[in-house]
Amino acid sequence: MPVMKPLYTAARTLSVATALTVIFAGSAYALDGNDVAKRLQARFEEQGTKIEFGKVDTDGSTVTLRDTKIDFKSAEMGTFTVGDIVLTDVAENDKGAYTAETATLQDFEKTDDKSTFALKGIEIGKLYLAADDEQDPVVKMLYYQTMKADSFTIHEDGEEMVNMKDIYATSTPYTKGTPVAMSFGIKSIDLDIEKMDALRKGADASAGNDEASETPNPMIDLGYKQLSMAVTSTGSWEPEKGDLAIDKMEFDVKDVGKFDTTMKLGGYDAKFIKSVQQASAEMSANKENSDAAGMAMLGLIQQLSISKMAIRYDDSSLTPKLLDYYAKQQGISKEDMVNQIKGIAPIMVGYLGHADFAMQATTAVNTYFDDPKSLTIAAKPEAPVSFALIAATATADPKKLLDLLAVKLTANQ
């Protein structure tokens, strides 16, 4: 839907911005400019990224990569001209790896049709680029310990649609046998829903879709002309065991609510990551046979397992607004709207064919709509369950998934 174009662009370009940080993490490592260029290009190629420099200057322990161009093959967004990257305190350790204290990138913009995004104030800290003969696959991955970007904005037709401020990421140094702690966050995200809706209506009208152009946006009717939110994520990774834990993935939306996801996955080791990278590269290189590569990717995902997962929503004011909105549409009171939901809920969950879960879910729905505070759906099986088994069960008898994953729905807890 056209109104989602700015958000879609944001998702694509933010993923590219995140990938840039990985590239900068690999850009800091040789006092011999020609040697560092070859090393960087090799490492990036392994990650599915092509990088080129116009010139490499070395001044003491400072290395400057001039006129840098980056092509994220899997992103299919063409070549990015990102300008100069300046790396400070570059050194080579006794393992032949290069390190740099910081890498900074000059502010840059990219325009795609009528969309323009700008990234400012990028700085990467504690960069590491392993030697070519490094045998540990985790060490050979490009990584950094800190990253920050002051702002990331998206404009459509000259109007600001998205504004993110204070983006950051951290990870602890990798030591074999020790978990790597990670964090990621965006302290401020502002979305202009009203301008997005005006853009959507204009696009529909230009396309001759008058009915769609006159369709109201429920978000605006609910009073959300602008949305402000923050993102906070923490977790850890044990490469040798393949355990990935997401302790927190929270989206805190002002005057709406908080959405938080936690999970623990198994099988997420360096070998798995390398296989995914190879499959992604094959999909990008052979688009005519992308189905085969897609099946290969699906097969890889089925190697993972889940130990636990939970999705929690804490309401701020969204639920009462939704109840008022839909009650008004139906010409009934909010209390009658709540009673309708309570009446429909047992019927809906009854289709799952699981009496215990139906009772549990009905109780949770009744509790929540009587006093909207929080809803949590959680899966905590007695032992890790592979994605392959989950897929097989979903195909054979979907209702058994509730027991397989020990799914529970609770409210206000």
Side-chain angles (χ1 to χ4, degrees):
M1 187 167 58
V3 70
M4 296 303 293
K5 184 174 183 293
L7 289 178
Y8 175 69
T9 303
R12 290 192 310 161
T13 51
L14 182 58
S15 69
V16 167
T18 303
L20 278 173
T21 66
V22 177
I23 286 178
F24 307 150
S27 303
Y29 311 116
L31 303 182
D32 179 340
N34 291 328
D35 182 63
V36 74
K38 292 178 181 179
R39 177 88 66 92
L40 289 169
Q41 288 169 336
R43 290 296 87 80
F44 295 148
E45 191 67 29
E46 292 169 357
Q47 305 296 323
T49 299
K50 182 179 180 180
I51 183 168
E52 296 179 342
F53 315 118
K55 182 182 179 183
V56 179
D57 292 334
T58 303
D59 182 9
S61 62
T62 299
V63 177
T64 303
L65 313 179
R66 305 288 186 188
D67 303 321
T68 309
K69 295 181 179 180
I70 302 170
D71 183 2
F72 301 94
K73 297 178 182 178
S74 60
E76 298 183 5
M77 292 183 67
T79 300
F80 287 74
T81 300
V82 298
D84 296 347
I85 300 174
V86 180
L87 307 103
T88 64
D89 295 332
V90 181
E92 183 177 8
N93 66 18
D94 57 2
K95 295 181 180 180
Y98 290 99
T99 61
E101 188 65 23
T102 64
T104 57
L105 176 71
Q106 63 189 66
D107 301 343
F108 73 95
E109 293 186 354
K110 181 175 176 63
T111 299
D112 180 15
D113 192 16
K114 296 182 179 180
S115 303
T116 300
F117 75 85
L119 196 56
K120 297 181 179 181
I122 298 176
E123 181 177 290
I124 314 299
K126 304 292 185 183
L127 314 181
Y128 189 94
L129 184 65
D132 289 338
D133 59 357
E134 174 61 57
Q135 298 301 305
D136 189 324
V138 178
V139 174
K140 205 167 185 179
M141 291 180 182
L142 306 173
Y143 71 85
Y144 54 88
Q145 290 184 37
T146 65
M147 180 280 289
K148 78 172 185 71
D150 292 339
S151 68
F152 172 72
T153 58
I154 296 177
H155 289 73
E156 292 284 341
D157 288 338
E159 296 283 351
E160 185 176 278
M161 303 289 173
V162 180
N163 189 329
M164 303 182 186
K165 295 179 180 178
D166 296 327
I167 305 165
Y168 67 90
T170 67
S171 65
T172 56
Y174 167 68
T175 303
K176 194 167 186 176
T178 303
V180 177
M182 305 171 292
S183 70
F184 171 78
I186 306 173
K187 293 185 178 180
S188 172
I189 304 176
D190 294 319
L191 308 177
D192 198 316
I193 304 301
E194 191 170 34
K195 288 180 180 178
M196 291 179 187
D197 191 54
L199 184 69
R200 185 265 303 180
K201 289 180 177 178
D204 286 335
S206 297
N209 193 348
D210 294 334
E211 183 177 350
S213 68
E214 295 174 0
T215 302
N217 186 330
M219 293 295 292
I220 294 176
D221 291 343
L222 289 169
Y224 297 116
K225 295 182 179 181
Q226 285 82 33
L227 281 180
S228 296
M229 68 183 78
V231 178
T232 307
S233 177
T234 59
S236 62
W237 180 40
E238 298 185 63
E240 288 77 24
K241 293 182 179 179
D243 290 339
L244 175 67
I246 305 299
D247 301 318
K248 183 178 186 179
M249 176 62 79
E250 181 185 87
F251 293 78
D252 186 355
V253 188
K254 184 179 180 181
D255 296 326
V256 174
K258 292 182 182 180
F259 302 84
D260 189 21
T261 300
T262 60
M263 70 175 70
K264 185 174 183 180
L265 299 177
Y268 197 87
D269 55 16
K271 182 179 178 181
F272 171 81
I273 294 175
K274 189 67 176 178
S275 297
V276 170
Q277 290 172 344
Q278 291 174 346
S280 297
E282 290 173 6
M283 291 177 69
S284 178
N286 190 7
K287 296 180 177 62
E288 293 181 357
N289 194 25
S290 59
D291 289 346
M295 291 299 294
M297 185 75 77
L298 184 60
L300 288 171
I301 293 174
Q302 291 187 3
Q303 297 176 22
L304 300 176
S305 63
I306 183 169
S307 298
K308 62 180 180 179
M309 180 176 181
I311 301 173
R312 178 184 175 95
Y313 171 66
D314 287 273
D315 190 72
S316 291
S317 61
L318 177 61
T319 301
K321 290 179 180 179
L322 285 172
L323 291 172
D324 285 332
Y325 177 76
Y326 287 107
K328 183 178 180 180
Q329 281 195 334
Q330 296 185 28
I332 61 177
S333 67
K334 183 170 73 173
E335 290 73 20
D336 288 339
M337 189 73 235
V338 169
N339 289 331
Q340 277 192 15
I341 294 172
K342 289 181 178 181
I344 294 172
I347 299 173
M348 298 299 293
V349 295
Y351 286 122
L352 296 174
H354 195 294
D356 290 343
F357 182 78
M359 183 178 297
Q360 178 191 127
T362 299
T363 300
V365 169
N366 290 346
T367 300
Y368 179 78
F369 282 100
D370 281 338
D371 183 17
K373 291 182 179 178
S374 69
L375 274 173
T376 303
I377 184 165
K380 194 175 182 180
E382 293 182 359
V385 179
S386 70
F387 278 69
L389 180 56
I390 293 172
T393 304
T395 301
D397 191 353
K399 66 177 179 290
K400 289 187 177 180
L401 284 174
L402 296 170
D403 290 325
L404 178 67
L405 297 173
V407 178
K408 294 184 181 298
L409 179 65
T410 58
N412 299 350
Q413 293 184 8

